[in-house]
Amino acid sequence: MSSGFLDLLSTQLKNNVAFYATQLHTTSQNLNAMCNKVFGKTASDVIAEHIIKEIKRQLLFTNKSVSDIAYDLEFKDTSHFTKYFKRYVLQTPLQFKKAANT
């Protein structure tokens, strides 16, 4: 199931454990248990790692605005997107992009 989960993450990136559990024909609890066993992390932490990696990729290698990236990744609004990114990276998306370009 872990490889199926990772395959889904690489093709359908959503910040929603229940979505992946449904796609894998299991429960959120089972998906969390599998992630804890295989990765030593919760399913939401595994998802967050992939989302952050994709955000960084888009910030560095596309000309998309922060709000366009937020919209593409189905965040409610840019403010929520910025807080989410900062929680994991300790910088705002713009700070990250600026630091990477110096």
Side-chain angles (χ1 to χ4, degrees), residues 66-67 70 75-86 93:
V66 170
S67 56
F75 280 83
K76 293 176 196 141
D77 56 48
T78 306
S79 172
H80 179 252
F81 172 81
T82 299
K83 288 176 189 169
Y84 181 89
F85 186 84
K86 190 171 184 178

Side-chain angles (χ1 to χ4, degrees), residues 17 19 31 51 55 84:
V17 174
F19 167 80
L31 182 57
I51 290 173
I55 293 168
Y84 181 89

Side-chain angles (χ1 to χ4, degrees), residues 9 12-16 50-59 64 66-76 80-81 84-85:
L9 281 169
Q12 296 181 318
L13 199 52
K14 296 184 183 297
N15 191 16
N16 187 330
H50 282 77
I51 290 173
I52 294 298
K53 192 184 315 179
E54 178 59 18
I55 293 168
K56 286 179 175 180
R57 187 192 69 74
Q58 289 193 32
L59 286 169
K64 289 183 180 180
V66 170
S67 56
D68 285 344
I69 296 170
Y71 177 79
D72 289 349
L73 293 175
E74 300 179 6
F75 280 83
K76 293 176 196 141
H80 179 252
F81 172 81
Y84 181 89
F85 186 84

Side-chain angles (χ1 to χ4, degrees), residues 28-45:
S28 296
Q29 292 84 356
N30 284 342
L31 182 57
N32 252 331
M34 183 275 301
C35 286
N36 274 314
K37 185 177 178 182
V38 175
F39 305 111
K41 300 174 186 172
T42 65
S44 51
D45 284 341

